[in-house]
Amino acid sequence: MKTVLEMKQVSKKFPGTYAVKTIDFDVFAGEVHALLGENGAGKSTLMKVIAGYFNDYTGEILVNGKTVQLHSPAMAKANGIQMIYQELSLAKPISIAENLLAGRLPTKGTWLLDRKTLIHESKKLLGRVGLGHIDPLVAVEEISQSEAELVEIAKALGNNPSILVMDEPTSALSKEEVDRLFGIINVLKKQGIGIVYISHHLPEISKIADRVTVMRDGEKVATKDITDVTTEALVEMMIGRAAGEMYRKRSSSIKEDVKLEVKKLSRRGFFHNIDFHVRRGEILGICGLSGAGRSELARSLVGIDPIDGGEIHLDGTEIQFRSMNRALAYGLAYLSESRKEQGLALRLSVGENILSASISRYSPKDGKEIVKKLIKDLQVNPAEDHRMIATLSGGNQQKVLLAKWMATEPKVLILDEPTRGVDIGSKMVIHQAVMEMANRGYSVILITSDLPELAGLSDRVIIMRNGHFIGEIDRVDCTEEELLLAANGKGEYVNAIRESR
Amino acid sequence: MQSANLDELKKDSRSLELNTLSLWISKLGIFIVVGIFLIVGPLVSAKFYTLANLTTILQTVAILGIVAVGVAFVTYSGHYADLSVPSVMAFAGIITVATLHYGIAISLLLGILAGLSIGIINGFVVGVYKANPIIWTLAVEYVLNGLMRWIWGANQIYPDLHGNNGRAASSFVNLARQYVGPIPLVFILLFCAVIIGQLILSKTRFGRRLKVVGSSAEVAKFSGINVPLTIGIAFLISAFAASIGGIFLTSLVKLGVYSNGTGYDFNAVTAVVVGGVSLAGGRGNIVGVLGGTLLLGILVNVLNLIGVSQLYQTIVEGVIFIIVVGVNQKSLRKLGRDDA
Ligand SMILES: Nc1ncnc2c1ncn2[C@@H]1O[C@H](COP(=O)(O)OP(=O)(O)OP(=O)(O)O)[C@@H](O)[C@H]1O
Ligand SMILES: [Mg+2]
C-alpha cells in the first residue's frame, strides 16, 4: 500500500507545555486513519502540524516519500494536505462560491471576475459532497451548520488534496448528516485520498476507520488495525483504564412543583405554539433534528430573542425577559451551542471565563474558591485558572463553559449541546455533574443531538419538528431508537399527546 | 461511576516553565523602556536630572495623562478610542469660563457636567445603537467644534480678571498653577486619576464586566452582562477625564476657545496603546497608560534637550513606538497570549 504521509519523531512545544511529543504517524492512500485520545491529548495539535500551522515543530515529515517542510498553510496545501478545522473556517457574509474558490477565483483577462466559471466550478464541488441542489451564490451564513460543514469539505476538495484531515467533523451533525458524510468519505477513499479522522464518537470510528492511533498526554500509545481492537480496548488505551457503564438510569429526583411552564409560546418563523413544563429536579430533554427550533426556543426563553406570543411561567408567575441579565437574575441560565462565538471569551483566562456570568455573585475571594472547585469537579486539564482559554483543547474549553454556568447556581439550566467535542471520560464527568444538579433540585432542559445522551439523562423528552411540538416520550420508553424515530416525525409517541388532550 | 479514579486529578508530565522575562515584559514592558530613557537621559544632557527639567517633563504630559486614563476605558471596552476628546476638553473649559460669574465651584461643576453630557450621548449612541465608535465620536468632535464656533463666534473667551467676579476668575486661572505643598496640583490629580482608574479597572465589578465586554461583546451579552450600560459608562469615564483635563488646560492657557484640545485625541491614543492597552479590547492596565504618557513626555524632552527639530521628533517618536508595541507583542506571543 502506498504511504501518502509519514511523520517521524514529530514534537511541538507551546509556551508552558509540550502538546505533541515524538510522535510517529503515517497514512496510507485510500484509508481512513482515526486519531483518538482524551481532551488535550494533542490530536488537534498534531494535525495542525500537518496543516502547516506551526513553523517550529521538530521531527521529519514525508509526503509521498519525499521529506517536506510544512511551515505554513500554503506549504501544506502545495503538498496536497487539506484540513477541515474543528471550528469552521468559512467567511460567513460572503457567498458559498467565493468561499469555495477563495484564493483562486477564476478571472476573465487579468482583472475581471469570471462569474460563469465561478458558478460552474462551485456547482461541481458542491456536487461532490451531495449539495448539488444548493445555489452557490447564497451567503454561507444562510445555510445550516451541517451544510456549512459539507461546504468546508468541498472547499478542501477543490485543492485536489492527497491527504485530508478532519478534526471532529461530526460533532455538530445529526445522524442522517453523519451517514451522508460517511457516504462522501467512502467515495473519497476510493479516489485514493488518505484521510485522518478525529472523533470522540467511538461507534463512528469502528464504522468508518481502517486503522486507529491512540494518543495520550501528547504521546502515542499505539497504532492498530480497526479489526484488531474492540471499543473497550480503545477506551482503555485512551484513558488508561477500563470505562464503566456509560449511562445508568438514576433514580428520579423529580419534585412535585412545576418550576417552569411554557404556554403556546411562538416566535414567528422559528417555533409555534410550544407547550411544556419542567418540574423541580427534573431533566427534560428536547429531541429534534437540527433546524427543529430547539436552540431558538431556548434563546427566547432566556430573553436573548423576542417572542411573538404565548406565556412563560416561572414558579407559577408569568414572566418575560427582555435580556439575558434579567433571566439570569431569576435563575435561568443558557449554555449556548456555539462555544467560540457566544460561550467563551477567547482572550480571557479560564478563571475569568468561569466567573464571567456571575460577576455580581461572588467576591473576588469566593470567586477564586468556586473556580478552583469547578476546575477540580469537572476535571479541566490543565487545571490552572490563569491559563488563557484559547490554549485549552476543545473538550476542555467545553468543560469550562459548563463550569461558567454552574457557577451561576441556576434554578433552571438550559444546556444546548453540552458535551460537544468532549471525550468519553469527561462526558461521564459532565453527566454526573448534571445529574447532581437535578438531584439538588435544579431543573435542567437538555438539548442534544447525541441520542444516547438524551436517552440516558432525560426524565422525559419532548419532541420538536420544524418548529412544532409534536409529542412527548416518558422516561421508561425513552430509548435511542424511539428518539430517532420521533425526531423524524415517526413512532407511536408523535402526536399522541395532542390527541389524548 | 468511577469516582475513585475520577477524583484524583490526572498528572500531566508535559508542563514546562513559562518564560519569566516575557512575563515581566508583558506586565510592565513600558516601564522598562521608561527606565532605559531615564538611564540614557543624563548621558544625552547634563540638564536631564535637574528638578526643573523633571518638572517640565511632567508638566507637559500631566493633562495628557489624565485624558489618556479616560480614553483607556474606551479602548479597553473594545471600542478603539474616543475621538471627541478634544472638543469635550474645549467645551468643558469654555463652559467653566463662561459661567465663572456664578462662582468658581459652580462653574467647575457646570464645566464637568457639560463634558459629561457629551459622554452620555456617546455612550448611548455607541452602546445602545451600536454605532461605529470611531465614526461616531469623530462626528461628535466636528459637530461640537462647529457648535462652539457658532455660539462663541470663534472668539476666545477670557476669564474676566477684573470684572465683578474677579476672585473666581483668578482662582480659576490659578488652578493649573496651584501647588499642594511642593507638588503641583495637576500632578496630584494625574496620580489620583491613575490610581482610581487602576482600581476601577482591576477591583470593581464594573471593571470585570468591562473586561468581558472588551474581550467579546457577544459573549458578554450571553453571560447576562448589560453590555450597552457597560459601554456607556466607559464613554462617560472618558468624557469625565477629558473634562477635567480640558478645564486644567483652559486654566493653563488662560482662555477658553474651541481649539483648546487639539491633538489630544491622537496623543492620548498613543499613550494608551504604547502603554499596553490592546486595541482589540479587554487587555492592559491603567498603570501602563501612565508609563505610555511618561514615555511620551521624556521622549519629547530628550529630543528637545539635544536639539532635534520638531520635524525629526515625530519620526523618532514613531520609530520608538513601533519598537515598544513590537516588543510587547512578541512577549505576549512567547506566553501564548497574543491574539494571533
Ligand atoms: N496555543 C496554545 N498554547 C499553549 N498550549 C496549547 C495551545 N494549544 C493547545 N495547547 C495545549 O496542548 C495540548 C493539546 O491540545 P490539543 O488541542 O491538541 O488537544 P486535542 O487532543 O485536540 O483535544 P480535544 O479532544 O479536546 O480537541 C493541551 O494540553 C492544550 O492545553
Ligand atoms: Mg481538538
Side-chain angles (χ1 to χ4, degrees):
Chain A
M1 204 171 294
K2 198 176 136 222
T3 307
V4 279
L5 174 77
E6 196 174 353
M7 305 177 89
K8 290 183 187 162
Q9 300 288 302
V10 169
S11 301
K12 160 72 193 158
K13 216 163 57 174
F14 282 120
T17 179
Y18 260 111
V20 167
K21 238 175 175 173
T22 53
I23 296 260
D24 293 320
F25 184 77
D26 57 358
V27 183
F28 301 145
E31 78 157 345
V32 172
H33 191 154
L35 192 52
L36 295 184
E38 285 182 290
N39 293 133
K43 306 177 296 292
S44 295
T45 306
L46 183 66
M47 289 306 107
K48 283 179 181 167
V49 168
I50 304 179
Y53 216 77
F54 310 116
N55 59 10
D56 60 346
Y57 66 86
T58 55
E60 194 183 3
I61 301 178
L62 295 91
V63 173
N64 291 323
K66 270 202 322 268
T67 301
V68 292
Q69 305 287 323
L70 303 178
H71 287 172
S72 73
M75 288 161 115
K77 268 187 198 143
N79 284 297
I81 299 164
Q82 282 289 330
M83 172 137 173
I84 317 284
Y85 286 97
Q86 206 164 355
E87 275 96 16
L88 298 183
S89 69
L90 300 173
K92 288 193 169 152
I94 68 173
S95 72
I96 296 177
E98 284 162 295
N99 265 298
L100 283 176
L101 300 182
R104 50 190 187 93
L105 289 175
T107 50
K108 267 194 285 220
T110 347
W111 303 109
L112 293 176
L113 181 66
D114 181 356
R115 280 181 84 81
K116 230 161 107 198
T117 320
L118 177 72
I119 295 173
H120 182 74
E121 285 284 312
S122 30
K123 275 228 151 106
K124 235 172 38 194
L125 285 173
L126 287 175
R128 284 180 76 181
V129 293
L131 289 179
H133 56 283
I134 282 190
D135 177 6
L137 291 182
V138 304
V140 167
E141 62 197 352
E142 284 174 35
I143 59 178
S144 73
Q145 164 97 11
S146 54
E147 285 167 338
E149 182 110 28
L150 292 175
V151 170
E152 178 98 13
I153 295 173
K155 178 180 168 186
L157 293 180
N159 292 313
N160 287 322
S162 52
I163 301 150
L164 191 60
V165 180
M166 299 186 180
D167 195 349
E168 302 192 29
T170 56
S171 64
L173 300 187
S174 72
K175 199 164 171 334
E176 282 81 19
E177 291 159 347
V178 172
D179 288 341
R180 181 148 68 139
L181 178 69
F182 284 1
I184 294 163
I185 289 180
N186 278 324
V187 173
L188 298 178
K189 271 170 77 171
K190 292 213 183 78
Q191 292 166 358
I193 298 177
I195 295 170
V196 186
Y197 187 95
I198 302 179
S199 176
H200 289 292
H201 203 59
L202 291 178
E204 253 173 51
I205 302 284
S206 34
K207 214 156 126 194
I208 194 80
D210 300 297
R211 282 193 303 160
V212 43
T213 292
V214 177
M215 285 177 77
R216 189 163 72 219
D217 292 349
E219 286 168 290
K220 176 162 134 178
V221 180
T223 300
K224 302 256 186 209
D225 281 337
I226 197 74
T227 44
D228 293 349
V229 281
T230 59
T231 308
E232 289 73 34
L234 283 177
V235 172
E236 221 177 309
M237 290 198 310
M238 275 167 66
I239 59 182
R241 58 182 161 78
E245 188 189 350
M246 190 71 193
Y247 298 96
R248 217 175 41 196
K249 291 263 175 186
R250 68 201 177 99
S251 57
S252 168
S253 56
I254 306 179
K255 310 279 187 300
E256 263 315 297
D257 35 342
V258 172
K259 183 74 200 171
L260 179 81
E261 185 168 17
V262 161
K263 292 180 183 163
K264 298 232 168 305
L265 203 69
S266 300
R267 178 169 179 224
R268 227 166 290 129
F270 296 97
F271 52 84
H272 313 277
N273 289 329
I274 303 288
D275 291 306
F276 70 84
H277 67 269
V278 51
R279 293 179 191 281
R280 227 149 60 72
E282 182 178 36
I283 302 180
L284 175 76
I286 306 186
C287 174
L289 303 177
S290 65
R294 296 167 300 169
S295 302
E296 288 76 8
L297 175 65
R299 290 166 54 115
S300 287
L301 279 179
V302 295
I304 287 167
D305 290 337
I307 55 174
D308 293 327
E311 294 170 11
I312 302 171
H313 294 255
L314 191 69
D315 289 322
T317 28
E318 185 176 354
I319 215 154
Q320 196 182 325
F321 307 113
R322 258 176 282 119
S323 66
M324 180 78 204
N325 49 341
R326 298 305 305 145
L328 205 54
Y330 278 91
L332 257 72
Y334 170 52
L335 182 150
S336 133
E337 63 180 325
S338 123
R339 174 171 71 218
K340 221 172 85 173
E341 280 98 30
Q342 299 157 354
L344 297 173
L346 294 179
R347 259 179 289 128
L348 297 187
S349 71
V350 169
E352 286 165 335
N353 266 295
I354 292 182
L355 292 176
S356 61
S358 30
I359 288 172
S360 350
R361 177 173 286 267
Y362 300 110
S363 70
K365 202 167 135 272
D366 293 350
K368 257 204 190 106
E369 287 296 299
I370 201 87
V371 164
K372 236 199 221 143
K373 179 173 175 316
L374 286 168
I375 286 180
K376 185 155 175 286
D377 285 357
L378 293 175
Q379 303 184 10
V380 176
N381 182 27
E384 298 163 0
D385 59 353
H386 58 267
R387 262 272 209 166
M388 291 293 119
I389 197 82
T391 71
L392 257 62
S393 77
N396 281 296
Q397 290 181 9
Q398 188 68 33
K399 291 190 226 169
V400 172
L401 183 57
L402 181 66
K404 163 176 165 175
W405 290 113
M406 286 176 64
T408 68
E409 301 188 333
K411 303 284 186 315
V412 180
L413 177 58
I414 307 175
L415 299 171
D416 199 348
E417 305 291 351
T419 56
R420 177 172 286 175
V422 163
D423 69 43
I424 25 172
S426 312
K427 219 174 196 170
M428 288 195 285
V429 175
I430 289 181
H431 289 166
Q432 189 72 35
V434 171
M435 289 191 282
E436 245 159 53
M437 296 226 274
N439 289 343
R440 266 186 283 150
Y442 296 172
S443 309
V444 179
I445 299 178
L446 176 68
I447 303 172
T448 172
S449 45
D450 184 335
L451 293 181
E453 178 172 287
L454 195 61
L457 282 181
S458 309
D459 290 316
R460 190 159 53 89
V461 174
I462 62 167
I463 310 151
M464 281 178 74
R465 188 171 165 78
N466 295 332
H468 291 275
F469 171 88
I470 59 167
E472 186 170 315
I473 305 182
D474 248 345
R475 166 157 202 241
V476 253
D477 304 309
C478 193
T479 63
E480 224 184 304
E481 295 74 33
E482 283 300 334
L483 288 172
L484 186 60
L485 284 173
N488 286 291
K490 299 173 197 119
E492 59 176 303
Y493 302 97
V494 172
N495 292 327
I497 292 275
R498 279 283 148 80
E499 281 145 31
S500 70
R501 261 185 199 162
Chain B
M1 240 161 244
Q2 2 242 293
S3 36
N5 271 326
L6 296 181
D7 273 352
E8 44 184 271
L9 269 182
K10 201 175 54 180
K11 283 251 170 49
D12 200 324
S13 60
R14 291 176 287 177
S15 214
L16 301 167
E17 280 298 308
L18 280 180
N19 185 328
T20 24
L21 179 65
S22 299
L23 209 60
W24 280 103
I25 290 183
S26 79
K27 278 213 175 110
L28 295 170
I30 185 64
F31 286 99
I32 296 174
V33 185
V34 171
I36 293 173
F37 271 88
L38 290 181
I39 294 168
V40 174
L43 305 179
V44 170
S45 161
K47 270 189 279 177
F48 186 81
Y49 268 125
T50 58
L51 187 62
N53 189 48
L54 292 180
T55 313
T56 312
I57 293 178
L58 262 182
Q59 285 282 13
T60 42
V61 293
I63 292 175
L64 173 65
I66 295 171
V67 175
V69 166
V71 172
F73 279 85
V74 170
T75 311
Y76 194 80
S77 79
H79 289 77
Y80 311 112
D82 179 355
L83 297 184
S84 68
V85 148
S87 54
V88 169
M89 292 174 73
F91 190 48
I94 287 186
I95 294 293
T96 308
V97 174
T99 58
L100 271 176
H101 52 275
Y102 294 123
I104 182 79
I106 292 185
S107 67
L108 285 179
L109 188 70
L110 289 176
I112 291 175
L113 284 179
L116 282 181
S117 66
I118 307 299
I120 290 181
I121 297 175
N122 284 341
F124 193 74
V125 174
V126 177
V128 177
Y129 291 106
K130 303 195 172 64
N132 178 309
I134 295 286
I135 310 243
W136 173 259
T137 54
L138 199 60
V140 167
E141 163 70 18
Y142 282 119
V143 170
L144 190 57
N145 209 292
L147 223 57
M148 284 188 288
R149 282 204 233 186
W150 180 54
I151 295 174
W152 286 280
N155 288 325
Q156 308 174 338
I157 64 171
Y158 297 89
D160 184 358
L161 291 171
H162 312 291
N164 48 11
N165 205 339
R167 216 156 51 96
S170 57
S171 46
F172 174 70
V173 169
N174 280 337
L175 204 59
R177 297 166 178 78
Q178 193 76 48
Y179 277 75
V180 177
I183 308 165
L185 177 62
V186 64
F187 290 8
I188 293 179
L189 226 60
L190 170 63
F191 287 107
C192 282
V194 170
I195 291 166
I196 294 173
Q198 180 64 35
L199 288 179
I200 291 178
L201 210 57
S202 62
K203 294 283 182 228
T204 65
R205 289 185 169 150
F206 163 75
R208 284 154 73 196
R209 290 199 185 98
L210 192 67
K211 187 163 196 181
V212 181
V213 170
S215 304
S216 165
E218 179 84 351
V219 170
K221 177 178 139 191
F222 274 82
S223 305
I225 291 172
N226 191 335
V227 179
L229 181 68
T230 311
I231 294 170
I233 295 176
F235 275 94
L236 208 60
I237 292 175
S238 171
F240 180 68
S243 305
I244 305 269
I247 288 169
F248 265 84
L249 185 64
T250 308
S251 158
L252 192 69
V253 297
K254 294 188 196 172
L255 59 93
V257 63
Y258 66 88
S259 58
N260 256 352
T262 308
Y264 272 85
D265 44 2
F266 290 110
N267 279 336
V269 175
T270 312
V272 167
V273 173
V274 168
V277 179
S278 162
L279 274 175
R283 187 171 289 152
N285 57 58
I286 302 294
V287 177
V289 174
L290 175 66
T293 308
L294 291 180
L295 182 65
L296 269 175
I298 296 172
L299 191 61
V300 170
N301 183 256
V302 167
L303 293 177
N304 276 338
L305 285 180
I306 53 178
V308 175
S309 84
Q310 200 71 38
L311 176 68
Y312 296 115
Q313 280 194 14
T314 7
I315 301 177
V316 177
E317 276 174 34
V319 171
I320 300 269
F321 297 149
I322 291 170
I323 294 173
V324 171
V325 173
V327 168
N328 240 325
Q329 189 64 27
K330 183 150 186 194
S331 58
L332 280 180
R333 180 158 309 150
K334 279 218 178 118
L335 295 169
R337 288 183 193 172
D338 63 327
D339 303 334

